[in-house]
Amino acid sequence: MPFGANKTMADAPGAQRPVWLAWTVAFLVSALLLGGLLFGFVVALDPFGLRVRAGVPARPLMDINQRYMYPQLVRSGAFDSGVFGTSTMRLLDPAILSRSIGGRFANLAMNAATPWEQVQMADLFARTVTAPKAVIWGLDLTWCESDATSPAKRLTPRPFPPWLYDGASWADALRQLNLTTLEISARLLAHRLGYLPARIRGDGYEVFTPPEASYDLARARSHLYADNHGSAPDLTPLSPPAPVSEAERLGWRFPALAWLDAALSAFPADTSKLIVLPPTHVAAQPREGSVAAQRYNACKAALHGLAARQGATIVDYAHGSAVTQIDENYWDPLHFRLPIARRVEADLAAVSHGETLAPDGVAWVARPSR
């Protein structure tokens, strides 16, 4: 008998192909079915509100990435007034603003949002809301950077979904098939079943700072003065101011203000526009008299010209005051405590109604000329 003649027909290589082919087909079919099931689950839950339109409520906000969560608030038509900016504006409670100013506010400020990202949100609001009543826009120092409009400064490490800002549609559904969206959809289902609370309130408001009862001044100071090994640096104004040549002054540019100008132009003339320079701690502000402070003041001057063209009012807290010089008012250089948020809300309401603020120098108000 020839060597190997005792092998069965099932042992022949050709006989194995149908078995492996069947396993491969079964695996692919199972993967497609599972993918389809998961895709259908995400589409049904719709965590980013792709199906939200005017009159359709936004989904409960189950993730802390505001860049993905907030566009549906705008498209829902539930709000005619908005707060834009970064985390320095997020403690302003839209429910309080709605009662004190009027309108239906949503807080659409986003953590560490770049000027470009803020403009995307404002543009979406201007395009989508039928009759915007009021806009409150907080501007941090980033708006005055000479390279604020460079491609490298447009985004942060946080993902940003342009497709949610350019007219979300069913065509964008496939972009959601990933583990993160699946997790958020699962959270949304758990919320619907009563097992999880929403991560962010339905008008965009969230107290993201620690509980007030846990406030520790020593810990706060370690954050306030981290760049100086925990000790307060010398913040007294430079006298005389640092020298700056005329050529250097003429070379100062603030390109992001052109974005702001265009974004505000997109709102109707009767939309109330408040530009706020938030009350960051003096440790986060350029030292008075320094070159950086003089440049910032030049940026503020340019901003005043822009506001005059747009009929906007400026409320400026970004200077030394009884708020910004008091360590106890802050968690860190950028983030004030809730009592300061209540003060800012009251100030903005007073300004909106044409009232005069307390003469304590905390807020400098510049109204457009009539």
Side-chain angles (χ1 to χ4, degrees), residues 19-338:
V19 176
W20 285 109
L21 181 60
W23 275 103
T24 301
V25 170
F27 175 80
L28 291 176
V29 169
S30 299
L32 288 172
L33 288 175
L34 178 60
L37 181 64
L38 295 177
F39 179 67
F41 175 69
V42 169
V43 169
L45 271 297
D46 191 23
F48 303 142
L50 286 178
R51 298 195 299 276
V52 171
R53 295 292 183 271
V56 179
R59 313 303 184 229
L61 307 182
M62 300 305 297
D63 190 60
I64 59 174
N65 189 338
Q66 304 96 37
R67 291 156 175 80
Y68 282 79
M69 293 286 104
Y70 287 172
Q72 60 182 307
L73 298 183
V74 177
R75 292 197 303 274
S76 72
F79 306 100
D80 60 12
S81 303
V83 177
F84 307 113
T86 67
S87 58
T88 57
M89 297 294 286
R90 289 193 64 217
L91 288 182
L92 300 188
D93 190 333
I96 293 175
L97 295 174
S98 297
R99 290 194 300 269
S100 60
I101 296 178
R104 303 184 309 277
F105 272 90
N107 193 320
L108 304 170
M110 303 179 290
N111 292 347
T114 65
W116 184 84
E117 290 175 322
Q118 295 173 47
V119 166
Q120 306 317 299
M121 183 64 75
D123 283 349
L124 175 65
F125 197 89
R127 293 194 316 269
T128 307
V129 176
T130 303
K133 183 172 183 180
V135 169
I136 298 175
W137 201 327
L139 304 183
D140 295 334
L141 275 167
T142 52
W143 281 89
C144 293
E145 294 175 353
S146 60
D147 60 347
T149 58
S150 68
K153 290 290 186 76
R154 291 197 174 196
L155 297 173
T156 73
R158 297 170 175 82
F160 185 90
W163 46 277
L164 284 175
Y165 294 77
D166 62 1
S169 67
W170 279 102
D172 296 314
L174 288 172
R175 301 175 187 271
Q176 300 181 96
L177 192 56
N178 56 67
L179 292 177
T180 298
T181 307
L182 186 62
E183 178 188 351
I184 299 170
S185 299
R187 287 187 208 152
L188 181 53
L189 177 61
H191 174 77
R192 300 285 194 196
L193 296 175
Y195 294 112
L196 280 180
R199 297 292 295 272
I200 301 174
R201 207 170 73 189
D203 56 7
Y205 182 63
E206 177 192 19
V207 179
F208 64 94
T209 53
E212 285 291 324
S214 71
Y215 185 77
D216 181 333
L217 179 57
R219 182 176 178 82
R221 281 178 170 151
S222 71
H223 293 296
L224 287 169
Y225 305 119
D227 291 341
N228 201 48
H229 307 291
S231 300
D234 184 3
L235 298 174
T236 57
L238 292 178
S239 182
V244 178
S245 69
E246 186 64 21
E248 183 176 359
R249 289 183 187 278
L250 292 174
W252 286 340
R253 295 289 182 270
F254 316 105
L257 295 187
W259 285 352
L260 178 66
D261 201 3
L264 290 176
S265 295
F267 290 96
D270 59 353
T271 300
S272 171
K273 305 179 184 73
L274 286 179
I275 296 173
V276 179
L277 304 183
T280 56
H281 189 274
V282 287
Q285 300 175 27
R287 185 179 179 182
E288 188 177 342
S290 67
V291 174
Q294 293 177 65
R295 189 180 186 281
Y296 187 36
N297 288 335
C299 181
K300 286 186 180 183
L303 182 60
H304 278 256
L306 182 158
R309 291 193 302 275
Q310 294 294 340
T313 296
I314 295 178
V315 184
D316 181 0
Y317 294 93
H319 54 266
S321 73
V323 166
T324 62
Q325 293 172 328
I326 305 300
D327 294 350
E328 289 87 342
N329 290 334
Y330 292 86
W331 293 98
D332 59 45
L334 296 180
H335 301 113
F336 46 77
R337 298 175 64 189
L338 287 177

